Amino acid sequence: MKRWFRVFIISIFALAAVSLILIQLTQTRRTFSISDNMFNVSVSNAMDEVISQLNSEVFQTATHPATSFNYQELDSLIVEELLINGIDMHPIVGLYDGSQGSFLYSSDPSHEKKLEVSPYRYSFQPIGVVSSNQFYIILAFRAADLFLMRHPNIYLYMSIFLIFIIAIMFLISIRTLANQRKLDQMKTEFINNMTHEIKTPIATISLASEMLQDETISQDSASRNNFVGIIADENQRMRVLVETILQSAKMAGKNFSLNLRTVDIHPLIEHVAQSFKLTIANRGGSINLHLDADPSMLEADELHISNLIYNLVDNGIKYSSGAPQIDISTTVEDNRFVMRFQDHGIGISKADQKHIFEKFYRVSTGDVHTVKGFGIGLSYVAQVVKLHHGTIAVDSTEGIGSTFTVSLPIA
């Protein structure tokens, strides 16, 4: 997915989300204004009907409502009329004597103060009562019942929250698609590079084998030894390539475990260095060892540590434009075994240093893209270091070289 297309899609989504929020805000404000007025009208209509029924039926036979009302029936009547008018609420009901300043009845005495200040107050004069007193039926609605109606912004906040969640999921989806496409491209490049990497030593071995079959060459011990060396080198190269791929795949599995045992690292380094000496000498370079760590014994997997060393040295050779100059040193620092692999090659840019340990990642700027490889070596190295509870860091300057520092706990 191209960058401009992603920006376009995100811009359209942002515009749609902002527009939706504005529409929701306007509609919510409008709905609140309408619903508040409709609520008051509905309550008034319901109470008009209640008072009308009270005036048309004999609810009392005495001269005072305090001794004559069936208050439970009054509550039921109010709830029923409210429901008919579209209000599904059970209010607090009070019958108030205005001249005495006291309640003759309250469905919830603990809320009498709330009833006194309620705006839902309706004048009522019981039939047959000759009195100058002014009676009121007062309703009070509980805060929980009126919360959503009195706080319409909650719908807006909920809408914004949901839009925010959708936006996050949208961006995650876009990023996932972009990463998936990038991963597909890297896998394709990996297959192409791997095929090329394996075909090259196969072709070299095939050619060397054909040359050895020539009687004139096979009788020349120097030439014969040279071709046998080439076959051995290319075979070792293929073995490491295949082993790196297989072991990297195994490490991705949940059930993978190291074969730990006490290993002296220095002989491993010397063995790998020896295997590269001919290759480096043919290019006019050198490999120098400074193995000063004491002790050099670690609890480690010998196979994977050997492959780690091989990959770092191989990288230093491949990424040297001229004669390779490789320096390998070991020290003990803060009770940790530290290996440093320094080359004087083309270096790695700061931007690429952040990604070089990612699987299939290959540096593609400058002259680096011309180097053979398939972007799995450093990823494998990082996996090995992590499984050994160690750390790896790179310090590199373009045009000067790179230093990879591996720190592992001492046994």
Side-chain angles (χ1 to χ4, degrees):
M1 187 180 295
K2 294 184 178 180
R3 181 180 177 84
W4 69 266
F5 185 72
R6 291 202 304 271
V7 172
F8 175 74
I9 292 295
I10 292 173
S11 300
I12 292 296
F13 179 83
L15 179 62
V18 171
S19 301
L20 184 58
I21 292 172
L22 292 176
I23 292 171
Q24 184 73 15
L25 177 61
T26 304
Q27 189 63 29
T28 300
R29 297 291 186 187
R30 186 177 176 186
T31 301
F32 169 66
S33 178
I34 295 172
S35 63
D36 193 41
N37 292 333
M38 288 182 65
F39 180 81
N40 292 331
V41 170
S42 297
V43 173
S44 295
N45 290 340
M47 290 308 299
D48 288 343
E49 183 62 28
V50 168
I51 292 173
S52 175
Q53 290 191 40
L54 291 177
N55 288 333
S56 64
E57 299 179 9
V58 181
F59 271 76
Q60 60 282 329
T61 58
T63 58
H64 197 281
T67 60
S68 62
F69 260 84
N70 184 338
Y71 294 113
Q72 185 175 1
E73 190 170 348
L74 175 63
D75 279 353
S76 300
L77 180 60
I78 291 173
V79 171
E80 180 182 347
E81 288 300 327
L82 287 173
L83 188 59
I84 291 173
N85 284 270
I87 300 175
D88 186 13
M89 296 181 187
H90 198 146
I92 303 166
V93 179
L95 184 59
Y96 186 72
D97 186 341
S99 62
Q100 298 294 325
S102 62
F103 283 93
L104 303 177
Y105 164 73
S106 173
S107 62
D108 188 348
S110 64
H111 286 80
E112 286 188 357
K113 289 185 178 180
K114 187 174 183 179
L115 284 168
E116 289 178 2
V117 297
S118 173
Y120 302 104
R121 180 184 296 247
Y122 304 93
S123 179
F124 168 61
Q125 189 69 32
I127 295 174
V129 176
V130 180
S131 172
S132 60
N133 293 0
Q134 186 67 45
F135 299 101
Y136 298 94
I137 296 176
I138 305 176
L139 306 183
F141 295 91
R142 291 174 175 81
D145 294 334
L146 295 176
F147 180 77
L148 292 178
M149 190 188 74
R150 297 300 185 189
H151 299 81
N153 284 341
I154 192 170
Y155 293 108
L156 176 63
Y157 298 148
M158 289 175 64
S159 298
I160 293 174
F161 176 73
L162 292 174
I163 291 172
F164 178 71
I165 294 297
I166 293 171
I168 291 177
M169 298 306 296
F170 174 79
L171 292 175
I172 290 174
S173 299
I174 290 291
R175 183 175 180 181
T176 301
L177 289 173
N179 289 340
Q180 188 66 39
R181 186 159 187 253
K182 181 180 178 181
L183 185 60
D184 289 340
Q185 289 177 335
M186 288 193 295
K187 283 185 176 180
T188 301
E189 291 177 5
F190 163 72
I191 293 171
N192 292 336
N193 291 328
M194 182 182 66
T195 303
H196 178 74
E197 282 284 299
I198 294 177
K199 283 177 65 177
T200 301
I202 289 175
T204 304
I205 290 173
S206 177
L207 180 61
S209 299
E210 289 179 6
M211 296 300 292
L212 285 174
Q213 292 175 359
D214 190 324
E215 293 182 0
T216 57
I217 294 178
S218 62
Q219 292 176 2
D220 184 349
S221 60
S223 298
R224 184 176 63 250
N225 291 337
N226 181 48
F227 286 117
V228 170
I230 291 174
I231 292 174
D233 289 342
E234 293 300 317
N235 181 67
Q236 173 69 5
R237 178 182 168 191
M238 269 206 309
R239 187 194 70 79
V240 172
L241 290 176
V242 173
E243 189 68 28
T244 299
I245 296 170
L246 292 177
Q247 294 301 331
S248 180
K250 285 183 180 179
M251 285 181 180
K254 294 181 180 179
N255 299 323
F256 178 81
S257 61
L258 295 173
N259 180 24
L260 296 176
R261 64 186 186 87
T262 303
V263 178
D264 189 346
I265 304 300
H266 286 168
L268 298 184
I269 295 174
E270 291 169 349
H271 177 74
V272 172
Q274 185 63 36
S275 67
F276 277 106
K277 272 191 175 180
L278 182 59
T279 302
I280 294 175
N282 289 338
R283 291 179 55 180
S286 63
I287 182 167
N288 305 303
L289 304 182
H290 308 279
L291 309 181
D292 302 321
D294 185 18
S296 59
M297 307 294 289
L298 302 180
E299 287 293 327
D301 188 308
E302 184 174 355
L303 171 64
H304 292 294
I305 291 295
S306 295
N307 289 340
L308 176 151
I309 298 168
Y310 187 96
N311 273 284
L312 290 176
V313 175
D314 186 51
N315 265 11
I317 297 171
K318 289 194 299 186
Y319 287 84
S320 296
S321 56
Q325 299 293 327
I326 309 297
D327 294 295
I328 305 175
S329 64
T330 64
T331 58
V332 173
E333 300 174 10
D334 297 327
N335 202 35
R336 295 178 73 84
F337 184 88
V338 179
M339 294 183 286
R340 289 185 174 86
F341 300 83
Q342 183 179 13
D343 65 65
H344 301 278
I346 59 179
I348 307 169
S349 69
K350 294 294 183 183
D352 285 318
Q353 288 178 36
K354 301 176 182 178
H355 305 285
I356 57 174
F357 297 113
E358 296 175 7
K359 186 174 288 188
F360 304 131
Y361 185 85
R362 295 191 69 221
V363 179
S364 58
T365 56
D367 295 328
V368 181
H369 68 281
T370 60
V371 178
K372 295 178 181 180
F374 39 81
I376 204 171
L378 288 179
S379 171
Y380 168 77
V381 167
Q383 285 179 296
V384 172
V385 171
K386 183 178 179 181
L387 288 169
H388 283 83
H389 307 290
T391 60
I392 183 169
V394 59
D395 181 20
S396 183
T397 304
E398 290 184 274
I400 296 178
S402 304
T403 300
F404 286 86
T405 302
V406 176
S407 174
L408 301 172
I410 293 178

